[in-house]
Amino acid sequence: MRRAFITGITGQDGSYLAELLLGKGYEVHGLVRRASTLNRSRIDHLHAEDRLHLHYGDLTDGVSLVNLIHSIAPHEVYNLGAQSHVKVSFEMPEYTASADAVGTLRLLEAIRASGLGCRFYQASTSEMFGSTPPPQSEISAFRPRSPYGAAKLYSHWVTVNYREAYDLFAVSGILFNHESPRRGESFVTRKISLGVAAIKHGVTDHLHLGNLAAVRDWGYAKEYVEGMWQMLQRDEPEDFVLATGTGTTIRQFCETAFAHAGLNWEDHVRHDKQYERPTEVDALIGDPSRAHERLGWTARTTTDELARLMVDADLEAVGRLVRDRGVSPNLPL
Ligand code: NAP
Ligand code: G4F
């Protein structure tokens, strides 16, 4: 039986990847952080699986990584764990560097020292392209515009270096934004879909957002984890961009999401400077040609379809909260 080790298993992507790998017959091991309350809601539905094992550890704690690689002896390692919020990285730059940059080095060192020869996937990001104009591909220049982007760029290059220096099967997936009903509530798409649902159910009347002009290339997370797995099944290690190839502004996303619930976004969205960043990434639109040609991977869900499916999921979830509790739920808007 193949064994996979996933850091970030409690996150959006980790939960979809765990489902995918369990469905393929893998034994799945996940790294979880100790918290004062359990935050495993995205993987709760997998707990009955006897092939799922969770282990305490942290990317900022090298000893835990060495011990886990040694005891699990995985065939595949997916490094999805990260402080993944760009705005927060300006407020916590040092922690972001420790988890998102040095954390990858700690994990790669644990793998190298183990001599196990496991395959390694690094969750690289389109945020590394920063101010490089679109379309961005595997050969575009990296010009990060945030502590998060800079930390991820270190991880990207150290992954390339461990591949070249130690002949590890180590690859980076350079993923453009991907979302789902499991997206964290403080990322803009989920903030919008939750906001639409809250407004529709009468919980609130407005939603505060920052810069509406930025362009992002938004796909459906469930499809992107398939690409991660495919990258580790190849004969030779290679880095790939995963994206839809289409750009959409935050304003357009709002328009689609509010319209799906029969609302006009301009009646409800208010500007709030606190959600703007010291430096913004203006436009990210990926060129996924290499992934089409060499992996056979393609994004199937358009950004408009994604917006609608997220609104549907939140209308249902918020509606249930309002019905069950009979009070206005405290939503993180
Ligand atoms: P997410 O929902 O924010 O999940 C992040 C995961 O990392 C969570 O499981 C979190 O654990 C864990 N984590 C945070 N700090 C950690 C630490 N110090 N040690 C161990 N684990 C830690 O992120 P996502 O959207 O699933 O993204 C997955 C990965 O892809 C991330 O590395 C992200 O930077 C990268 N990425 C995401 C996108 C995107 O659009 N979603 C695009 C490109 C790249 P807790 O649950 O305990 O907080
Ligand atoms: O949803 P966002 O926070 O995502 P961002 O910054 O693009 O980062 C996400 O995608 C990266 C891939 O490129 C990942 F690596 C990263 O981990 C994360 O998953 O913001 C998207 C855009 C930005 O331009 C931001 O300024 O939306 C704008 N925005 C406007 N109002 C807002 C808000 N973003 C957030 N989070 N909250 C707002 O109220």
Side-chain angles (χ1 to χ4, degrees), residues 27-295:
E27 183 176 292
V28 174
H29 295 259
L31 184 79
V32 293
R33 298 193 293 170
R34 196 266 159 184
S36 64
T37 54
L38 288 183
N39 61 346
R40 300 179 191 170
S41 58
R42 294 184 178 108
I43 52 170
D44 273 347
H45 62 293
L46 301 176
H47 272 168
E49 273 286 353
D50 58 5
R51 282 178 292 113
L52 176 67
H53 307 275
L54 302 178
H55 310 267
Y56 282 114
D58 199 299
L59 284 162
T60 60
D61 177 16
V63 171
S64 67
L65 302 176
V66 169
N67 289 339
L68 287 172
I69 292 294
H70 182 76
S71 63
I72 297 165
H75 301 96
E76 295 172 13
V77 175
Y78 295 86
N79 185 29
L80 310 185
Q83 188 304 91
S84 72
H85 202 283
V86 174
K87 175 74 169 27
V88 171
S89 78
F90 287 96
E91 282 135 38
M92 301 174 70
E94 187 179 335
Y95 174 73
T96 302
S98 182
D100 298 12
V102 187
T104 305
L105 177 70
R106 293 184 186 106
L107 189 52
L108 279 167
E109 246 326 88
I111 291 169
R112 187 196 63 76
S114 75
L116 289 166
C118 33
R119 296 187 168 204
F120 178 79
Y121 173 87
Q122 169 58 20
S124 286
T125 162
S126 47
E127 188 69 16
M128 300 185 310
F129 294 119
S131 56
T132 294
Q136 296 100 354
S137 74
E138 295 84 358
I139 57 167
S140 300
F142 296 123
R143 294 200 179 91
R145 299 261 289 167
S146 63
Y148 168 80
K152 282 286 188 173
L153 188 51
Y154 172 83
S155 284
H156 182 77
W157 283 125
V158 83
T159 299
V160 172
N161 181 245
Y162 270 57
R163 175 165 79 216
E164 293 173 352
Y166 305 116
D167 209 20
L168 280 186
F169 192 110
V171 302
S172 265
I174 307 174
L175 272 51
F176 283 63
N177 299 50
H178 46 279
E179 323 290 307
S180 73
R182 294 186 198 169
R183 184 58 144 152
E185 295 88 348
S186 64
F187 295 96
V188 79
T189 55
R190 185 74 199 289
K191 202 171 151 181
I192 294 168
S193 64
L194 259 182
V196 168
I199 292 164
K200 190 72 183 174
H201 286 294
V203 176
T204 182
D205 177 53
H206 54 269
L207 174 65
H208 288 102
L209 294 175
N211 175 20
L212 301 183
V215 174
R216 289 292 182 273
D217 177 333
W218 283 296
Y220 186 20
K222 202 172 176 175
E223 295 164 7
Y224 285 52
V225 302
E226 294 167 10
M228 296 177 188
W229 176 77
Q230 285 174 287
M231 287 180 217
L232 289 199
Q233 312 311 311
R234 304 188 74 239
D235 292 337
E236 295 297 327
E238 194 176 11
D239 303 331
F240 287 94
V241 158
L242 299 185
T244 71
T246 306
T248 304
T249 60
I250 319 299
R251 191 175 283 109
Q252 287 167 324
F253 193 96
C254 277
E255 203 172 323
T256 306
F258 276 85
H260 188 54
L263 300 167
N264 177 6
W265 74 276
E266 285 169 304
D267 296 338
H268 304 281
V269 172
R270 296 182 192 166
H271 179 255
D272 189 333
K273 220 174 146 32
Q274 72 162 303
Y275 297 114
E276 291 184 358
R277 291 143 193 213
T279 41
E280 175 65 283
V281 170
D282 293 328
L284 293 174
I285 307 172
D287 171 0
S289 315
R290 186 190 281 184
H292 285 255
E293 286 158 19
R294 301 185 198 174
L295 294 176

